[in-house]
Amino acid sequence: MSSEFTPPVRRVNSGRGHRYEDAHGRKVPGVTTVISSGVPKPALINWAARVTAAYAVDYWDELAELPVSERLTRLEKARFGERDEAARRGTQVHSLAERLVHGEEVDVPEALAGHVRAYVDFLDQWRVQPVLAEFVVASHRHGYAGTADLLAYLDDPDEPGRAVPWLLDIKTSQGVWGETALQLAAYRYADVYRAADGTELPVPEVERTGVVHVLGDGYQLVPVVAGRAQHRTFLYAQQIAAFVDTAKELVGEPLTPPRTLEAA
């Protein structure tokens, strides 16, 4: 897939979300958006059904007193409350993690104290040496952009005294899912990253890729395979996402018959 995007690519924050634009203000597809549109997520469907059913059971009596249409509305919105809360927590943890990795002091909300302790333990136990944190990457060749969480050197547990460059994603969700491999591969094999002065530089090479899975009661460093094969799969997903985005344009308006039939 060739790119028509003009460097440099930048991230534009807007409210709770963000987007990517090239030098002419044209939208550049984001990595997580590509994966969301181009990769099936059966686990997400099951999660939505489970959350909706749990809400119905927990609020059964309260729902029974509402008109039927309002019950339906409450049930339809049930999953979004849990999703939005998880997203807010993830955003806060990412913000704190970026500052902590650079040795800054932070004010920790009580609700995130466990997450912060877990992340500090990760930094200490692996003697993390940051290279880049929360950095925008772009592939002009393939036409996408994204924000990677952390590129850093970590102690090698198999070779004392040796530090290994890792590309890491920070997750606060309940699990580490397979599509994370596509996300990390897209970052790893992007053409450039955006430096602090706005210039674009080659993405540094890494030896390993993985997830720092940060929860309220601890963390895990989870290796994830994100090589050339996974990058190729990401590019396939990118094509599917592009199709989904424009599929309606392939369907025309119903045609008028060239002649009408006379009534019997």
Side-chain angles (χ1 to χ4, degrees), residues 196-235:
D197 62 0
T199 59
E200 293 188 338
L201 302 172
V203 177
E205 293 187 4
V206 298
E207 290 187 26
R208 300 181 186 178
T209 51
V211 167
V212 187
H213 191 203
V214 182
L215 298 174
D217 58 355
Y219 81 91
Q220 291 180 319
L221 177 59
V222 183
V224 175
V225 177
R228 289 289 183 183
Q230 288 70 45
H231 186 240
R232 185 167 58 250
T233 301
F234 169 80
L235 297 179

Side-chain angles (χ1 to χ4, degrees), residues 10-33:
R10 66 191 185 107
R11 170 171 163 152
V12 179
N13 295 319
S14 54
R16 291 188 298 173
H18 62 270
R19 66 184 185 277
Y20 300 95
E21 294 181 349
D22 73 357
H24 294 298
R26 291 175 294 192
K27 184 179 178 181
V28 180
V31 169
T32 54
T33 301

Side-chain angles (χ1 to χ4, degrees), residues 106-187:
V106 298
D107 293 324
V108 181
E110 184 176 349
L112 297 180
H115 290 79
V116 170
R117 281 194 298 270
Y119 193 70
V120 170
D121 286 346
F122 159 69
L123 297 177
D124 291 341
Q125 291 175 347
W126 291 89
R127 290 207 305 175
V128 176
Q129 305 169 49
V131 178
L132 297 169
E134 291 293 323
F135 58 104
V136 173
V137 301
S139 173
H140 297 296
R141 178 184 177 190
H142 297 296
Y144 67 81
T147 303
D149 290 339
L150 180 63
L151 194 154
Y153 282 84
L154 277 60
D155 278 358
D156 189 334
D158 300 322
E159 294 185 40
R162 178 174 182 257
V164 179
W166 284 72
L167 178 62
L168 296 163
D169 197 65
I170 300 169
K171 299 290 187 190
T172 58
S173 56
Q174 291 302 310
V176 178
W177 312 113
E179 59 261 28
T180 304
L182 307 185
Q183 182 183 1
L184 285 165
Y187 299 153

Side-chain angles (χ1 to χ4, degrees), residues 47-63:
W47 167 83
R50 186 172 60 253
V51 169
T52 303
Y55 185 90
V57 172
D58 291 342
Y59 295 92
W60 189 274
D61 292 339
E62 183 179 331
L63 291 168

